[in-house]
Coordinates of all heavy atoms in Angstrom, one line a residue:
M1488 N -6.1 17.3 -17.2 CA -6.9 18.1 -16.3 C -6.2 18.4 -15.0 O -6.4 19.4 -14.4 CB -8.2 17.3 -16.0 CG -9.2 17.1 -17.2 SD -9.7 18.6 -17.9 CE -10.9 19.2 -16.7
L1489 N -5.3 17.5 -14.6 CA -4.5 17.8 -13.4 C -3.6 19.0 -13.6 O -3.4 19.8 -12.7 CB -3.6 16.5 -13.1 CG -2.7 16.6 -11.9 CD1 -3.6 16.9 -10.6 CD2 -1.9 15.4 -11.7
S1490 N -3.0 19.1 -14.8 CA -2.2 20.3 -15.1 C -3.0 21.5 -15.1 O -2.5 22.6 -14.6 CB -1.5 20.1 -16.5 OG -0.8 21.2 -16.9
I1491 N -4.2 21.5 -15.7 CA -5.0 22.7 -15.6 C -5.4 23.1 -14.2 O -5.3 24.2 -13.8 CB -6.3 22.5 -16.5 CG1 -5.9 22.4 -18.0 CG2 -7.3 23.6 -16.3 CD1 -7.1 22.0 -18.9
S1492 N -5.8 22.1 -13.4 CA -6.1 22.3 -12.0 C -5.0 22.9 -11.2 O -5.1 23.8 -10.5 CB -6.6 21.1 -11.4 OG -7.7 20.6 -12.0
T1493 N -3.8 22.3 -11.4 CA -2.6 22.8 -10.7 C -2.3 24.2 -11.1 O -1.9 25.1 -10.3 CB -1.4 21.9 -11.0 OG1 -1.8 20.5 -10.7 CG2 -0.2 22.3 -10.3
G1494 N -2.4 24.5 -12.4 CA -2.1 25.9 -12.9 C -3.1 26.9 -12.3 O -2.8 28.0 -11.9
L1495 N -4.4 26.5 -12.2 CA -5.4 27.4 -11.6 C -5.2 27.6 -10.1 O -5.3 28.7 -9.6 CB -6.8 26.9 -11.9 CG -7.3 26.9 -13.3 CD1 -8.6 26.2 -13.4 CD2 -7.4 28.4 -13.8
V1496 N -4.8 26.6 -9.4 CA -4.5 26.7 -8.0 C -3.2 27.6 -7.8 O -3.2 28.5 -7.0 CB -4.2 25.3 -7.3 CG1 -3.6 25.5 -6.0 CG2 -5.6 24.6 -7.3
G1497 N -2.2 27.4 -8.7 CA -1.0 28.3 -8.6 C -1.4 29.7 -8.9 O -0.9 30.6 -8.2
L1498 N -2.3 30.0 -9.8 CA -2.7 31.4 -10.1 C -3.5 32.0 -8.9 O -3.4 33.1 -8.6 CB -3.5 31.5 -11.3 CG -2.7 31.3 -12.6 CD1 -3.7 31.3 -13.8 CD2 -1.7 32.5 -12.8
S1499 N -4.3 31.1 -8.2 CA -5.1 31.6 -7.1 C -4.3 32.0 -5.9 O -4.7 32.8 -5.1 CB -6.1 30.6 -6.7 OG -5.5 29.5 -6.0
W1500 N -3.0 31.5 -5.8 CA -2.2 31.8 -4.7 C -1.3 33.1 -4.9 O -0.6 33.5 -4.0 CB -1.3 30.6 -4.3 CG -2.1 29.6 -3.6 CD1 -2.8 28.6 -4.1 CD2 -2.3 29.5 -2.2 NE1 -3.4 27.8 -3.2 CE2 -3.1 28.4 -1.9 CE3 -1.8 30.2 -1.1 CZ2 -3.4 28.0 -0.7 CZ3 -2.2 29.8 0.2 CH2 -3.0 28.7 0.4
L1501 N -1.4 33.6 -6.1 CA -0.5 34.8 -6.4 C -1.0 36.0 -5.7 O -2.2 36.3 -5.6 CB -0.5 35.1 -7.9 CG 0.2 34.0 -8.8 CD1 0.1 34.4 -10.2 CD2 1.6 33.8 -8.4
G1502 N -0.1 36.8 -5.2 CA -0.4 38.1 -4.6 C -0.1 39.2 -5.5 O 0.5 39.1 -6.6
P1503 N -0.3 40.5 -5.1 CA 0.0 41.6 -5.9 C 1.4 41.8 -6.2 O 1.8 42.5 -7.1 CB -0.6 42.8 -5.2 CG -0.9 42.3 -3.8 CD -1.0 40.8 -3.8
D1504 N 2.3 41.3 -5.4 CA 3.7 41.4 -5.5 C 4.4 40.2 -6.2 O 5.6 40.0 -6.1 CB 4.4 41.7 -4.2 CG 4.1 40.6 -3.2 OD1 3.2 39.8 -3.4 OD2 4.8 40.5 -2.1
A1505 N 3.6 39.4 -6.9 CA 4.1 38.2 -7.5 C 5.1 38.5 -8.6 O 5.0 39.5 -9.4 CB 3.0 37.4 -8.1
S1506 N 6.2 37.7 -8.7 CA 7.2 38.0 -9.7 C 6.7 37.4 -11.1 O 5.7 36.7 -11.1 CB 8.5 37.2 -9.3 OG 8.3 35.8 -9.4
T1507 N 7.4 37.8 -12.1 CA 7.0 37.3 -13.4 C 7.1 35.8 -13.5 O 6.3 35.2 -14.1 CB 8.0 38.0 -14.5 OG1 7.8 39.4 -14.4 CG2 7.6 37.5 -15.9
T1508 N 8.2 35.2 -12.9 CA 8.3 33.8 -12.9 C 7.2 33.1 -12.2 O 6.7 32.1 -12.7 CB 9.7 33.4 -12.3 OG1 10.7 34.1 -12.9 CG2 9.9 31.9 -12.3
A1509 N 6.7 33.7 -11.1 CA 5.6 33.1 -10.4 C 4.3 33.1 -11.2 O 3.5 32.3 -11.0 CB 5.5 33.8 -9.0
I1510 N 4.2 34.1 -12.0 CA 3.0 34.2 -12.9 C 3.1 33.3 -14.1 O 2.1 32.6 -14.5 CB 2.8 35.6 -13.3 CG1 2.5 36.5 -12.1 CG2 1.7 35.8 -14.3 CD1 2.6 38.0 -12.4
V1511 N 4.3 33.1 -14.7 CA 4.4 32.4 -15.9 C 4.2 30.9 -15.7 O 3.6 30.2 -16.5 CB 5.8 32.7 -16.5 CG1 6.1 31.7 -17.6 CG2 5.8 34.1 -17.1
W1512 N 4.8 30.3 -14.6 CA 4.7 28.9 -14.4 C 3.2 28.4 -14.4 O 2.9 27.3 -15.0 CB 5.5 28.4 -13.2 CG 6.9 28.3 -13.6 CD1 7.9 29.2 -13.2 CD2 7.6 27.4 -14.5 NE1 9.1 28.8 -13.7 CE2 8.9 27.7 -14.6 CE3 7.1 26.4 -15.3 CZ2 9.8 27.0 -15.4 CZ3 8.0 25.6 -16.1 CH2 9.3 26.0 -16.1
P1513 N 2.3 29.0 -13.6 CA 0.9 28.5 -13.7 C 0.3 28.6 -15.1 O -0.5 27.8 -15.5 CB 0.2 29.3 -12.6 CG 1.3 29.8 -11.7 CD 2.5 30.0 -12.6
L1514 N 0.7 29.7 -15.8 CA 0.2 29.9 -17.1 C 0.7 28.8 -18.1 O -0.1 28.3 -18.9 CB 0.5 31.3 -17.7 CG -0.2 32.4 -16.9 CD1 0.3 33.8 -17.5 CD2 -1.7 32.3 -17.1
V1515 N 1.9 28.4 -17.9 CA 2.5 27.3 -18.7 C 1.7 26.0 -18.4 O 1.4 25.3 -19.3 CB 4.0 27.2 -18.5 CG1 4.5 25.9 -19.0 CG2 4.8 28.3 -19.0
L1516 N 1.5 25.7 -17.2 CA 0.7 24.5 -16.8 C -0.7 24.6 -17.4 O -1.2 23.5 -17.9 CB 0.6 24.4 -15.3 CG 1.9 24.0 -14.6 CD1 1.7 24.0 -13.1 CD2 2.3 22.6 -15.0
L1517 N -1.3 25.7 -17.4 CA -2.6 25.8 -18.1 C -2.6 25.5 -19.6 O -3.4 24.8 -20.1 CB -3.2 27.2 -17.9 CG -3.8 27.6 -16.5 CD1 -4.1 29.0 -16.4 CD2 -5.0 26.7 -16.3
G1518 N -1.6 26.0 -20.2 CA -1.4 25.8 -21.6 C -1.1 24.3 -21.9 O -1.7 23.7 -22.8
V1519 N -0.2 23.8 -21.2 CA 0.2 22.3 -21.4 C -1.0 21.4 -21.1 O -1.2 20.5 -21.8 CB 1.4 22.0 -20.4 CG1 1.6 20.5 -20.4 CG2 2.6 22.7 -20.9
G1520 N -1.8 21.8 -20.1 CA -3.0 21.0 -19.8 C -4.1 21.1 -20.9 O -4.9 20.2 -21.1
G1521 N -4.2 22.3 -21.5 CA -5.2 22.5 -22.5 C -4.9 21.8 -23.8 O -5.9 21.5 -24.6
V1522 N -3.7 21.6 -24.1 CA -3.3 21.0 -25.4 C -3.9 19.6 -25.6 O -4.5 19.4 -26.7 CB -1.7 21.0 -25.6 CG1 -1.3 20.1 -26.7 CG2 -1.2 22.4 -25.7
P1523 N -3.8 18.7 -24.7 CA -4.5 17.4 -25.0 C -6.0 17.4 -24.7 O -6.7 16.5 -25.2 CB -3.8 16.4 -24.0 CG -3.3 17.3 -22.9 CD -3.0 18.6 -23.5
F1524 N -6.5 18.4 -24.1 CA -7.9 18.4 -23.7 C -8.8 19.0 -24.8 O -9.9 18.5 -25.2 CB -8.2 19.1 -22.4 CG -9.6 19.3 -22.1 CD1 -10.4 18.2 -21.6 CD2 -10.3 20.5 -22.2 CE1 -11.7 18.3 -21.3 CE2 -11.6 20.6 -21.9 CZ -12.3 19.5 -21.4
H1525 N -8.4 20.2 -25.3 CA -9.3 20.9 -26.2 C -9.6 20.3 -27.6 O -10.7 20.3 -28.0 CB -8.8 22.4 -26.4 CG -9.0 23.2 -25.2 ND1 -10.2 23.5 -24.6 CD2 -8.1 23.7 -24.3 CE1 -10.1 24.2 -23.5 NE2 -8.7 24.3 -23.3
P1526 N -8.6 19.8 -28.3 CA -8.9 19.2 -29.6 C -9.9 18.0 -29.6 O -10.8 18.0 -30.4 CB -7.5 18.7 -30.1 CG -6.5 19.6 -29.5 CD -7.1 19.9 -28.1
P1527 N -9.7 17.0 -28.6 CA -10.8 16.0 -28.6 C -12.1 16.5 -28.2 O -13.2 16.0 -28.7 CB -10.3 15.0 -27.6 CG -8.8 15.3 -27.3 CD -8.6 16.7 -27.7
S1528 N -12.1 17.5 -27.3 CA -13.4 18.1 -26.9 C -14.1 18.8 -28.1 O -15.3 18.6 -28.3 CB -13.2 19.1 -25.8 OG -14.4 19.7 -25.5
N1529 N -13.3 19.6 -28.9 CA -13.9 20.2 -30.0 C -14.3 19.2 -31.1 O -15.4 19.4 -31.7 CB -12.9 21.2 -30.6 CG -12.6 22.4 -29.7 OD1 -13.4 22.7 -28.8 ND2 -11.5 23.0 -29.9
S1530 N -13.5 18.2 -31.3 CA -13.9 17.2 -32.3 C -15.2 16.4 -31.9 O -16.0 16.2 -32.7 CB -12.7 16.2 -32.4 OG -13.0 15.2 -33.3
A1531 N -15.3 16.1 -30.6 CA -16.5 15.4 -30.2 C -17.7 16.3 -30.4 O -18.8 15.9 -30.8 CB -16.4 15.0 -28.7
T1532 N -17.6 17.6 -30.1 CA -18.7 18.6 -30.3 C -19.1 18.7 -31.7 O -20.2 18.6 -32.1 CB -18.3 20.0 -29.7 OG1 -17.9 19.8 -28.4 CG2 -19.4 20.9 -29.9
L1533 N -18.1 18.8 -32.6 CA -18.4 19.0 -34.0 C -18.8 17.7 -34.7 O -19.5 17.8 -35.7 CB -17.1 19.6 -34.7 CG -16.8 21.0 -34.4 CD1 -15.5 21.4 -35.0 CD2 -17.9 22.0 -34.7
N1534 N -18.5 16.6 -34.2 CA -19.0 15.3 -34.7 C -20.5 15.1 -34.6 O -21.1 14.3 -35.2 CB -18.2 14.1 -34.1 CG -16.8 14.0 -34.7 OD1 -16.5 14.5 -35.8 ND2 -16.0 13.3 -34.0
T1535 N -21.1 15.9 -33.7 CA -22.5 15.8 -33.5 C -23.3 16.6 -34.5 O -24.6 16.5 -34.5 CB -22.9 16.2 -32.1 OG1 -22.6 17.5 -31.8 CG2 -22.2 15.3 -31.0
I1536 N -22.6 17.5 -35.2 CA -23.3 18.4 -36.2 C -23.5 17.7 -37.5 O -22.5 17.1 -38.0 CB -22.4 19.7 -36.3 CG1 -22.1 20.3 -34.9 CG2 -23.1 20.7 -37.2 CD1 -23.3 20.8 -34.2
P1537 N -24.6 17.9 -38.2 CA -24.8 17.4 -39.5 C -23.8 18.0 -40.5 O -23.5 19.2 -40.3 CB -26.2 17.8 -39.9 CG -26.9 18.1 -38.6 CD -25.9 18.5 -37.7
P1538 N -23.3 17.3 -41.5 CA -22.2 17.8 -42.4 C -22.6 19.1 -43.1 O -21.8 19.9 -43.3 CB -22.1 16.6 -43.4 CG -22.5 15.4 -42.7 CD -23.6 15.9 -41.7
E1539 N -23.9 19.3 -43.4 CA -24.3 20.5 -44.1 C -24.2 21.7 -43.2 O -24.2 22.9 -43.7 CB -25.7 20.3 -44.7 CG -26.8 20.1 -43.7 CD -27.1 18.7 -43.4 OE1 -26.3 17.8 -43.7 OE2 -28.1 18.4 -42.7
H1540 N -24.1 21.6 -41.9 CA -24.0 22.7 -41.0 C -22.7 22.8 -40.3 O -22.5 23.6 -39.5 CB -25.1 22.6 -39.9 CG -26.5 22.6 -40.4 ND1 -27.0 23.7 -41.1 CD2 -27.4 21.6 -40.4 CE1 -28.3 23.4 -41.4 NE2 -28.6 22.1 -41.0
L1541 N -21.7 22.0 -40.8 CA -20.4 21.9 -40.1 C -19.6 23.2 -40.2 O -19.0 23.6 -39.2 CB -19.6 20.7 -40.6 CG -18.4 20.3 -39.8 CD1 -18.8 20.0 -38.4 CD2 -17.8 19.1 -40.5
R1542 N -19.7 23.8 -41.4 CA -18.9 25.1 -41.5 C -19.4 26.2 -40.6 O -18.6 26.9 -40.0 CB -18.9 25.6 -43.0 CG -18.1 24.7 -43.9 CD -18.1 25.2 -45.3 NE -19.4 25.1 -45.8 CZ -19.7 25.3 -47.1 NH1 -18.8 25.8 -47.9 NH2 -21.0 25.2 -47.5
V1543 N -20.7 26.3 -40.5 CA -21.3 27.3 -39.6 C -21.0 27.0 -38.1 O -20.6 27.8 -37.4 CB -22.8 27.4 -39.8 CG1 -23.5 28.3 -38.8 CG2 -23.2 27.8 -41.2
A1544 N -21.1 25.7 -37.8 CA -20.8 25.3 -36.4 C -19.3 25.5 -36.0 O -19.0 26.0 -34.9 CB -21.1 23.8 -36.2
N1545 N -18.4 25.3 -37.0 CA -17.0 25.5 -36.7 C -16.7 27.0 -36.5 O -16.0 27.4 -35.7 CB -16.2 24.9 -37.8 CG -14.7 24.8 -37.5 OD1 -14.4 24.9 -36.3 ND2 -13.9 24.5 -38.5
G1546 N -17.3 27.8 -37.4 CA -17.2 29.2 -37.2 C -17.7 29.7 -35.9 O -17.1 30.6 -35.3
F1547 N -18.9 29.2 -35.5 CA -19.5 29.6 -34.3 C -18.6 29.2 -33.1 O -18.4 30.0 -32.1 CB -20.9 29.0 -34.1 CG -21.6 29.5 -32.9 CD1 -22.2 30.7 -32.8 CD2 -21.6 28.7 -31.7 CE1 -22.8 31.1 -31.7 CE2 -22.3 29.1 -30.6 CZ -22.9 30.3 -30.6
L1548 N -18.1 28.0 -33.1 CA -17.2 27.5 -32.1 C -15.9 28.4 -32.0 O -15.5 28.8 -30.9 CB -16.8 26.1 -32.3 CG -15.9 25.4 -31.3 CD1 -16.6 25.3 -29.9 CD2 -15.5 24.0 -31.8
S1549 N -15.4 28.8 -33.1 CA -14.2 29.6 -33.1 C -14.5 31.0 -32.6 O -13.7 31.6 -31.8 CB -13.6 29.8 -34.5 OG -13.2 28.5 -35.0
M1550 N -15.7 31.5 -33.0 CA -16.1 32.9 -32.5 C -16.3 32.8 -31.0 O -15.9 33.7 -30.2 CB -17.3 33.3 -33.2 CG -17.8 34.7 -32.9 SD -19.0 34.8 -31.5 CE -20.2 33.6 -31.9
A1551 N -17.0 31.8 -30.5 CA -17.3 31.7 -29.1 C -16.0 31.6 -28.3 O -15.9 32.2 -27.2 CB -18.2 30.5 -28.8
R1552 N -15.0 30.8 -28.8 CA -13.7 30.7 -28.1 C -13.0 32.0 -28.0 O -12.5 32.4 -26.9 CB -12.8 29.6 -28.8 CG -11.6 29.3 -28.0 CD -10.7 28.4 -28.7 NE -11.4 27.2 -29.2 CZ -11.5 26.9 -30.5 NH1 -11.1 27.7 -31.4 NH2 -12.2 25.8 -30.9
A1553 N -13.0 32.7 -29.1 CA -12.3 34.0 -29.1 C -13.0 35.0 -28.2 O -12.4 35.8 -27.5 CB -12.3 34.6 -30.5
R1554 N -14.3 35.0 -28.2 CA -15.1 35.9 -27.4 C -14.8 35.6 -25.9 O -14.6 36.5 -25.1 CB -16.6 35.7 -27.7 CG -17.5 36.4 -26.8 CD -17.6 37.9 -27.1 NE -18.6 38.5 -26.3 CZ -18.8 39.7 -26.2 NH1 -18.1 40.5 -26.9 NH2 -19.7 40.2 -25.4
A1555 N -14.8 34.3 -25.5 CA -14.6 33.9 -24.1 C -13.2 34.3 -23.7 O -13.0 34.8 -22.6 CB -14.8 32.4 -24.0
D1556 N -12.2 34.1 -24.6 CA -10.8 34.4 -24.2 C -10.6 35.9 -24.0 O -9.9 36.4 -23.1 CB -9.8 34.0 -25.3 CG -9.7 32.4 -25.3 OD1 -10.1 31.8 -24.3 OD2 -9.1 31.9 -26.3
S1557 N -11.3 36.7 -24.9 CA -11.1 38.2 -24.8 C -11.9 38.9 -23.7 O -11.6 40.0 -23.3 CB -11.4 38.8 -26.2 OG -12.8 38.6 -26.5
S1558 N -13.0 38.2 -23.2 CA -13.8 38.9 -22.2 C -13.7 38.3 -20.8 O -13.7 39.0 -19.9 CB -15.3 39.0 -22.7 OG -15.7 37.7 -23.0
W1559 N -13.7 37.0 -20.7 CA -13.8 36.4 -19.4 C -12.4 36.4 -18.7 O -12.4 36.5 -17.5 CB -14.3 35.0 -19.4 CG -15.8 35.0 -19.7 CD1 -16.4 34.6 -20.9 CD2 -16.8 35.4 -18.8 NE1 -17.8 34.8 -20.7 CE2 -18.0 35.3 -19.5 CE3 -16.8 35.9 -17.5 CZ2 -19.2 35.6 -18.9 CZ3 -18.0 36.3 -16.9 CH2 -19.2 36.1 -17.6
T1560 N -11.3 36.3 -19.4 CA -10.0 36.3 -18.8 C -9.8 37.6 -18.0 O -9.4 37.6 -16.8 CB -8.9 36.0 -19.8 OG1 -9.2 34.7 -20.4 CG2 -7.6 36.0 -19.2
P1561 N -10.0 38.8 -18.7 CA -9.8 40.0 -17.9 C -10.8 40.2 -16.8 O -10.5 40.7 -15.7 CB -9.9 41.1 -18.9 CG -9.8 40.5 -20.3 CD -10.2 39.0 -20.1
F1562 N -12.0 39.7 -17.0 CA -13.0 39.8 -16.0 C -12.7 39.1 -14.7 O -12.7 39.7 -13.7 CB -14.4 39.3 -16.6 CG -15.5 39.3 -15.5 CD1 -16.1 40.4 -15.1 CD2 -15.8 38.1 -14.9 CE1 -17.1 40.4 -14.2 CE2 -16.8 38.0 -14.0 CZ -17.4 39.2 -13.6
W1563 N -12.3 37.8 -14.9 CA -11.9 37.0 -13.7 C -10.6 37.5 -13.1 O -10.5 37.5 -11.9 CB -11.8 35.6 -14.0 CG -13.2 34.9 -14.3 CD1 -13.7 34.5 -15.4 CD2 -14.2 34.8 -13.3 NE1 -14.9 34.0 -15.3 CE2 -15.3 34.2 -14.0 CE3 -14.3 35.1 -12.0 CZ2 -16.5 33.9 -13.3 CZ3 -15.5 34.8 -11.3 CH2 -16.6 34.3 -12.0
G1564 N -9.7 37.9 -13.9 CA -8.4 38.4 -13.4 C -8.6 39.7 -12.6 O -8.1 39.9 -11.5
G1565 N -9.5 40.6 -13.1 CA -9.7 41.9 -12.4 C -10.6 41.8 -11.2 O -10.5 42.6 -10.3
N1566 N -11.4 40.7 -11.2 CA -12.3 40.6 -10.0 C -11.8 39.7 -8.9 O -12.4 39.5 -7.9 CB -13.7 40.0 -10.5 CG -14.5 41.1 -11.1 OD1 -14.7 42.1 -10.5 ND2 -15.1 40.8 -12.2
S1567 N -10.6 39.2 -9.1 CA -10.0 38.4 -8.0 C -9.8 39.3 -6.8 O -9.3 40.4 -7.0 CB -8.7 37.7 -8.4 OG -7.7 38.7 -8.7
C1568 N -10.3 38.9 -5.7 CA -10.2 39.8 -4.5 C -11.0 41.0 -4.6 O -10.8 42.0 -3.8 CB -8.8 40.1 -4.1 SG -7.8 38.6 -3.7
G1569 N -11.9 41.2 -5.6 CA -12.7 42.4 -5.7 C -12.0 43.6 -6.1 O -12.4 44.7 -5.8
L1570 N -10.9 43.4 -6.8 CA -10.0 44.6 -7.1 C -10.7 45.6 -8.1 O -10.6 46.8 -8.0 CB -8.7 44.1 -7.8 CG -7.8 43.4 -6.9 CD1 -6.6 42.9 -7.6 CD2 -7.4 44.2 -5.7
S1571 N -11.6 45.1 -9.0 CA -12.2 46.0 -9.9 C -13.6 46.4 -9.4 O -14.3 47.2 -10.0 CB -12.4 45.3 -11.3 OG -13.3 44.3 -11.2
T1572 N -14.0 45.9 -8.2 CA -15.3 46.3 -7.7 C -15.2 47.1 -6.4 O -16.2 47.2 -5.7 CB -16.2 45.0 -7.5 OG1 -15.5 44.2 -6.6 CG2 -16.5 44.3 -8.8
G1573 N -14.0 47.6 -6.2 CA -13.8 48.4 -5.0 C -13.7 47.6 -3.7 O -13.9 48.1 -2.6
G1574 N -13.4 46.4 -3.8 CA -13.3 45.5 -2.6 C -12.0 45.6 -1.9 O -11.4 46.6 -1.8
N1575 N -11.5 44.4 -1.5 CA -10.3 44.3 -0.7 C -9.0 44.6 -1.4 O -8.3 43.7 -1.8 CB -10.2 42.9 -0.2 CG -11.5 42.4 0.5 OD1 -12.2 43.2 1.1 ND2 -11.9 41.2 0.2
H1576 N -8.7 45.8 -1.7 CA -7.6 46.2 -2.5 C -6.3 45.7 -1.9 O -5.9 46.2 -0.8 CB -7.5 47.7 -2.7 CG -8.6 48.3 -3.5 ND1 -8.7 48.2 -4.8 CD2 -9.8 48.9 -3.1 CE1 -9.8 48.7 -5.3 NE2 -10.5 49.2 -4.2
G1577 N -5.7 44.7 -2.6 CA -4.4 44.3 -2.1 C -4.3 43.6 -0.8 O -3.3 43.6 -0.1
T1578 N -5.4 43.0 -0.3 CA -5.4 42.4 1.0 C -4.6 41.1 0.9 O -4.4 40.5 -0.2 CB -6.8 42.1 1.5 OG1 -7.5 41.3 0.5 CG2 -7.6 43.4 1.7
A1579 N -4.2 40.6 2.0 CA -3.4 39.4 2.1 C -4.3 38.2 1.7 O -5.5 38.2 1.9 CB -2.9 39.2 3.5
R1580 N -3.7 37.2 1.2 CA -4.4 35.9 0.8 C -4.1 34.8 1.8 O -2.9 34.6 2.1 CB -4.1 35.5 -0.6 CG -4.4 36.6 -1.6 CD -4.0 36.2 -3.0 NE -4.7 35.1 -3.5 CZ -5.8 35.1 -4.1 NH1 -6.5 36.3 -4.2 NH2 -6.4 34.1 -4.6
R1581 N -5.1 34.2 2.3 CA -4.8 33.1 3.2 C -5.7 31.9 2.7 O -6.9 32.0 2.5 CB -5.3 33.4 4.7 CG -4.4 34.5 5.3 CD -4.7 34.6 6.8 NE -3.9 35.6 7.3 CZ -4.3 36.8 7.7 NH1 -5.6 37.1 7.6 NH2 -3.5 37.7 8.2
G1582 N -5.1 30.8 2.5 CA -5.8 29.6 2.1 C -6.3 29.7 0.6 O -7.2 29.1 0.2
G1583 N -5.7 30.6 -0.2 CA -6.1 30.8 -1.5 C -7.3 31.7 -1.7 O -7.9 31.8 -2.8
V1584 N -7.8 32.2 -0.6 CA -9.0 33.0 -0.7 C -8.7 34.4 -0.1 O -7.9 34.5 0.8 CB -10.2 32.4 0.2 CG1 -11.4 33.3 0.1 CG2 -10.5 31.0 -0.3
C1585 N -9.2 35.5 -0.7 CA -8.9 36.8 -0.2 C -9.4 37.0 1.3 O -10.5 36.5 1.6 CB -9.6 37.9 -1.0 SG -8.9 37.9 -2.7
D1586 N -8.6 37.5 2.1 CA -8.9 37.7 3.5 C -9.5 39.1 3.7 O -8.8 40.1 3.5 CB -7.6 37.6 4.3 CG -7.9 37.7 5.8 OD1 -9.0 37.5 6.2 OD2 -6.9 37.9 6.5
A1587 N -10.7 39.2 4.0 CA -11.5 40.4 4.1 C -11.0 41.2 5.3 O -11.2 42.4 5.4 CB -13.0 40.2 4.3
R1588 N -10.3 40.6 6.2 CA -9.8 41.4 7.4 C -8.6 42.3 7.1 O -8.3 43.2 7.8 CB -9.4 40.4 8.5 CG -10.5 39.6 9.0 CD -10.1 38.5 9.9 NE -9.5 37.5 9.1 CZ -8.9 36.4 9.6 NH1 -8.7 36.3 10.9 NH2 -8.4 35.5 8.8
G1589 N -7.9 42.0 5.9 CA -6.9 42.8 5.4 C -5.8 43.1 6.3 O -5.0 43.9 6.4

């Protein structure tokens, strides 16, 4: 969880002129943090399902994960600093939060 948190904080500090290296390192931390977290979480979730419904539950879990990955990631990325809503286009970031004073 520390790796995931660090990766998210690292991504929150990126500006519009961030280099590829500055973008990749927080993403690597997110990936490394998710590896030990997701399998036990999925296993614990699926262990609560009766065996006769396990195939359907596993399919639903996989579909939900794919749906979340394909829709929420671009949504949150595009909405940081209000870029997709006509907000603070390219404003400076102070303290990890978009500065509305620009």
Side-chain angles (χ1 to χ4, degrees):
M1488 295 302 287
L1489 180 63
S1490 177
I1491 293 172
S1492 299
T1493 304
L1495 290 173
V1496 169
L1498 286 174
S1499 74
W1500 284 88
L1501 294 176
D1504 58 344
S1506 68
T1507 303
T1508 305
I1510 295 169
V1511 168
W1512 280 110
L1514 293 176
V1515 168
L1516 287 174
L1517 284 171
V1519 167
V1522 168
F1524 175 74
H1525 290 295
S1528 175
N1529 292 342
S1530 179
T1532 301
L1533 292 175
N1534 284 338
T1535 64
I1536 306 297
E1539 63 270 13
H1540 299 296
L1541 195 54
R1542 288 185 292 186
V1543 173
N1545 196 13
F1547 184 79
L1548 182 63
S1549 296
M1550 184 270 310
R1552 186 182 312 113
R1554 173 80 175 169
D1556 288 346
S1557 66
S1558 56
W1559 287 107
T1560 301
F1562 173 77
W1563 287 113
N1566 279 313
S1567 66
C1568 296
L1570 294 177
S1571 66
T1572 59
N1575 309 320
H1576 294 283
T1578 58
R1580 297 176 69 81
R1581 293 191 181 107
V1584 179
C1585 293
D1586 183 19
R1588 295 171 284 173

